[in-house]
Amino acid sequence: YVDANWLREPPIRRRLREETASKTPLPTMQISAHQGQQLGLLARLVNARRAVEVGTFTGYSSLCIAEALPVDGKLWCCDVSTEWTTIARRYWK
């Protein structure tokens, strides 16, 4: 029911999720599409203007948060892996 009636995953996030699943040794470190949608909803509900993400991995959750922020919003992403954040940076563009 949830997949058919509630989940809205834009193509860019779907591509990132699929790339993460195929190119990383631990794709389960990425949140699910459902969790990402809920994360974006929570950011909107509290009218978030700024956010900090600690542990970015390939950037799925950061895309969810960024889409929920206003145009002048700010999102800071922190991660120690340049290998995984390189993937994230492609999708952030």
Side-chain angles (χ1 to χ4, degrees):
Y1 176 83
V2 172
D3 285 342
N5 296 292
W6 187 69
L7 184 62
R8 308 281 188 275
E9 184 179 36
I12 190 166
R13 289 197 326 233
R14 182 182 41 77
R15 286 192 308 269
L16 174 54
R17 186 173 44 78
E18 290 170 352
E19 182 175 345
T20 300
S22 68
K23 291 186 177 178
T24 65
L26 289 170
T28 55
M29 286 180 26
Q30 177 176 263
I31 65 172
S32 71
H34 296 287
Q35 291 167 322
Q37 187 164 318
Q38 290 173 342
L39 188 59
L41 176 62
L42 289 172
R44 283 185 193 89
L45 286 173
V46 299
N47 293 316
R49 300 184 59 75
R50 294 181 302 269
V52 176
E53 180 179 60
V54 179
T56 300
F57 192 40
T58 60
Y60 191 91
S61 56
S62 61
L63 283 180
C64 297
I65 296 167
E67 290 172 356
L69 296 177
V71 175
D72 63 342
K74 300 280 184 190
L75 172 60
W76 291 271
C77 297
C78 307
D79 203 300
V80 296
S81 170
T82 56
E83 181 179 7
W84 305 132
T85 56
T86 298
I87 294 172
R89 288 176 190 274
R90 286 198 337 267
Y91 287 88
W92 292 339
K93 288 180 183 180

